[in-house]
């Protein structure tokens, strides 16, 4: 509504401006006196000042709208990404490009293109009515030629849209290539392949340059076409008015009035095409943002209400006859509880997970039981779905069927995560110190708490004040796992979690460190679910679940 009001007021002031100029010119030519200027000049000054204020107000409204939309889109994209954190696409580099440079391009859409689109509707309509009241013939010519500009603008716009989308894909690919190259540079340097990657980077850069120049060529050519159409249309009006003035069919004041207003009818429509190129990058980025948001919603909605497949479980549980000896006969999980066994803390029933676009489920009709204070180890061949099972437990992936019960009560993902301390296969790290990363488990933890948890996680030799770069830069794979385990242990020891979920916690650790970590975990008196291939971890398990 604000844009329509500003556009209408702008059109009204344009008419006042044209009236003042035409009246002054007509009077001067007819009477050869300047007396009319005493009235016209203040009117023109007021009209120019009013249009300047309206232009500022239009930009202010547009910038506010742009900031609000960009903020909302960024929140929605991050919420969609957090709802599906293990989704491989888009990559981190692509996501950063989208949320920064990509969505910033929406300024062109909201500050230039959208306000101009409103002006293109209101200004020609109001000024066209003013021309119609002054001269029907000129109004007819304007009405006949004005639609040509949107027609050619649409043809140019389709070409620009295709070019811009292609350039956005190339730009995203270049950003991802560069980020992956920087992340893998130490490995490439070790194997002597760092210089060889320069050629690939040059090719990506050249492709980005070609697409950018092609988009600019289309932009310049479209501006030329639109200017040519508008100029020819105004010329037709001017020629018709000139002949009619010569033959005394039109007075001079009306002729000046129509001639001044005629370009103002075409200008807003022509500027829409010009500013469309400013908005094209932003719209391409917005489409990518909506694809992420709608994709997350579709995965959530699509999983609801599906019937569970009627198939047999592929899980076998092995109940050790004694601690550290998984030599009993396998049977279908979960097994009946024996009188001397601890109660079940977590029970998973009929779990089925299918990734989008796949006809075959990763996990199908899986049952799992975790008892209080026990170490349950999930093992199996690579790719069988062990990590997916943990992701389903954490609520990182959408389940097609199945239920999760904690202490006998069915819970959602948020309620489960509130009681779980999680260590991923590739733990996330933030820029700061080791202590900062450990305190993510409990921000109010003291320095003594941090040191104690590092010691329990096998990281007694790690200095809590040691710096950590983005994504754990400066830490080895084993050190990252020890910091992540310490973070989870901190959460457990402070009573914020009673279930520890670990994905390959001892990978990258030597035998002595692994044994010390397992000893520390066993002394926590907490239920543990761990994915592992390591014989030492499996030997310590109270319960082993093999996926096959």
């Amino acid at each position: 509504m604000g844009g329509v009001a500003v556009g209408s007021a702008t059109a009204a002031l344009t008419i006042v401006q044209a009236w003042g100029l035409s009246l002054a010119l007509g009077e001067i030519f007819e009477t050869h006196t300047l007396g009319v200027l005493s009235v016209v000049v203040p009117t023109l000054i007021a009209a120019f000042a009013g249009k300047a204020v309206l232009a500022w107000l239009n930009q202010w409204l547009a910038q506010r709208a742009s900031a609000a939309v960009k903020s909302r889109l960024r929140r929605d994209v991050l919420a969609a990404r957090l709802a599906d954190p293990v989704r491989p696409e888009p990559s981190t580099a692509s996501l950063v490009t989208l949320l920064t440079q990509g969505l910033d391009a929406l300024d062109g859409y909201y500050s230039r293109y959208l306000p101009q689109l409103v002006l293109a509707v209101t200004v020609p309509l109001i000024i066209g009515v003013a021309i119609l009241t002054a001269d029907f013939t000129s109004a007819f010519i304007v009405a006949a030629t004005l639609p040509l500009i949107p027609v050619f603008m649409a043809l140019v716009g389709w070409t620009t849209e295709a070019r811009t989308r292609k350039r956005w894909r190339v730009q995203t690919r270049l950003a991802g290539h560069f980020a992956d190259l920087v992340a893998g540079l130490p490995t490439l340097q070790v194997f002597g392949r760092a210089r060889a990657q320069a050629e690939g980077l040059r090719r990506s850069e050249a492709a980005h340059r070609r697409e950018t120049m092609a988009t600019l060529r289309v932009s310049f050519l479209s501006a030329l076409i639109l200017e040519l159409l508008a100029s020819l249309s105004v010329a037709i009006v001017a020629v018709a008015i000139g002949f009619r003035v010569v033959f005394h069919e039109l007075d001079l004041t009306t002729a000046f009035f129509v001639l001044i207003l005629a370009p103002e009818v075409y200008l807003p429509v022509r500027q829409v095409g010009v500013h469309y190129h400013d908005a094209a990058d932003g719209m391409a980025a917005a489409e990518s943002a909506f694809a992420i948001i709608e994709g997350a919603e579709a995965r959530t909605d699509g999983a609801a209400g599906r019937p569970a497949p009627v198939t047999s479980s592929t899980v076998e549980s092995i109940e050790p006859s004694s601690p550290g000896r998984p030599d009993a006969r396998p049977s279908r999980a979960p097994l009946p509880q024996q009188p001397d066994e601890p109660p079940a803390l977590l029970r998973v029933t009929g779990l089925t997970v299918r990734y989008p676009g796949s006809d075959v489920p990763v996990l199908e009709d899986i049952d799992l039981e975790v008892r209080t204070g026990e170490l349950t180890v999930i093992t199996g061949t690579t790719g069988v779905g062990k990590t997916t099972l943990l992701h389903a437990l954490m609520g990182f992936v959408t389940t097609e069927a199945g239920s999760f019960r904690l202490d006998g009560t069915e819970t959602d993902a948020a309620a489960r995560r509130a009681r779980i301390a999680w260590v991923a296969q590739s733990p996330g790290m933030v820029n700061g110190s080791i202590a900062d990363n450990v305190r993510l488990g409990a921000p109010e933890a003291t320095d003594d708490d941090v040191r104690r948890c590092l010691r329990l996680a096998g990281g007694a030799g790690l200095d809590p004040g040691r710096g950590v770069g983005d994504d754990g830069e400066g830490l080895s794979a084993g050190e990252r796992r020890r910091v992540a385990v310490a973070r989870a242990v901190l959460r457990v020891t402070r009573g914020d979690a009673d279930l520890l979920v670990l994905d390959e916690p001892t990978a990258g650790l030597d035998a002595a460190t692994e044994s010390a970590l397992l000893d520390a975990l066993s002394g926590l008196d907490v239920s543990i679910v761990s994915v592992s291939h390591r014989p030492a971890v499996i030997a310590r398990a109270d319960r082993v679940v093999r996926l096959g």
Side-chain angles (χ1 to χ4, degrees), residues 81 84-95 299 355-356 391 397:
R81 194 71 173 98
D84 190 8
V86 295
R87 184 186 180 192
E89 295 292 337
S91 65
T92 301
S94 300
L95 195 63
R299 284 189 295 276
Y355 286 122
H391 287 167
V397 296

Side-chain angles (χ1 to χ4, degrees), residues 97-412:
T97 302
L98 172 63
L99 293 178
T100 53
Q101 181 180 352
L103 292 183
D104 279 341
L106 281 174
D107 286 335
Y109 180 82
Y110 282 97
S111 64
R112 290 183 288 274
Y113 176 72
L114 199 59
Q116 194 61 48
L117 201 60
V118 175
L119 293 177
V121 175
T122 57
V123 172
L125 182 62
I126 296 174
I127 294 180
V129 171
I131 294 176
L132 180 62
T133 58
D135 181 31
F136 176 79
T137 303
S138 298
F140 177 78
I141 295 173
V142 169
T145 55
L146 184 62
L148 294 176
I149 295 180
V151 170
F152 279 88
M153 191 165 58
L155 295 175
V156 172
W158 290 332
T159 303
T160 302
E161 183 178 10
R163 284 286 187 181
T164 303
R165 285 179 177 174
K166 187 175 180 181
R167 191 182 76 84
W168 172 252
R169 290 194 297 268
V170 172
Q171 179 180 333
T172 302
R173 186 165 62 247
L174 176 62
H177 185 185
F178 186 75
D180 292 342
L181 181 61
V182 172
L185 199 57
T187 303
L188 293 171
Q189 190 70 29
V190 168
F191 289 96
R193 299 294 299 169
R195 292 186 179 275
Q197 297 301 312
E199 178 61 27
L201 194 59
R202 277 194 294 268
R203 291 179 181 177
S204 298
E205 182 185 0
H208 181 255
R209 182 171 59 252
R210 284 195 302 270
E211 295 302 326
T212 301
M213 294 305 298
T215 304
L216 290 175
R217 280 195 296 271
V218 172
S219 176
F220 293 145
L221 288 174
S222 64
L224 174 63
I225 292 172
L226 297 179
E227 289 287 346
L228 181 62
L229 281 173
S231 299
L232 290 176
S233 300
V234 173
I236 293 172
V237 174
V239 169
I241 287 177
F243 278 111
R244 293 166 65 203
V245 169
V246 169
F247 291 103
H248 303 286
E249 296 178 5
L250 194 66
D251 65 273
L252 200 58
T253 299
T254 303
F256 278 127
F257 181 70
V258 174
L259 280 176
I260 293 171
L261 285 181
E264 299 294 336
V265 176
Y266 299 98
L267 180 62
V269 182
R270 188 173 78 242
Q271 289 296 106
V272 169
V274 174
H275 291 312
Y276 178 81
H277 301 286
D278 295 329
D281 285 343
M283 289 189 290
E287 287 181 2
S288 299
F290 284 126
I292 297 173
I293 296 168
E294 293 168 1
E297 292 175 351
R299 284 189 295 276
T300 302
D301 297 339
R306 293 179 181 172
V310 183
T311 59
S312 61
S313 173
T314 57
V315 178
E316 292 181 345
S317 267
I318 298 179
E319 295 288 341
S321 55
S322 61
R325 293 184 57 204
D327 53 5
R329 295 178 60 187
S331 60
R332 170 68 184 262
L335 296 178
Q337 181 176 340
Q338 302 300 321
D340 57 343
E341 287 184 332
L345 173 69
L346 169 69
R347 193 186 297 274
V348 181
T349 307
L351 176 63
T352 299
V353 177
R354 189 192 311 270
Y355 286 122
S358 175
D359 295 329
V360 180
V362 182
L363 299 172
E364 190 170 15
D365 197 23
I366 299 297
D367 294 341
L368 174 68
E369 188 173 84
V370 179
R371 298 189 184 279
T372 303
E374 287 190 350
L375 169 60
T376 301
V377 175
I378 302 171
T379 189
T381 57
T382 301
V384 78
K386 302 182 298 298
T387 297
T388 301
L389 176 55
L390 297 190
H391 287 167
L393 174 61
M394 295 297 298
F396 293 159
V397 296
T398 302
T399 59
E400 187 172 289
S403 65
F404 298 85
R405 293 182 176 273
L406 276 171
D407 292 329
T409 303
E410 189 163 353
T411 58
D412 59 11

Side-chain angles (χ1 to χ4, degrees), residues 1-22:
M1 290 299 294
V4 174
V6 170
S8 301
T10 301
L13 288 177
T14 301
I15 294 172
V16 172
Q17 173 186 320
W19 171 82
L21 286 173
S22 61

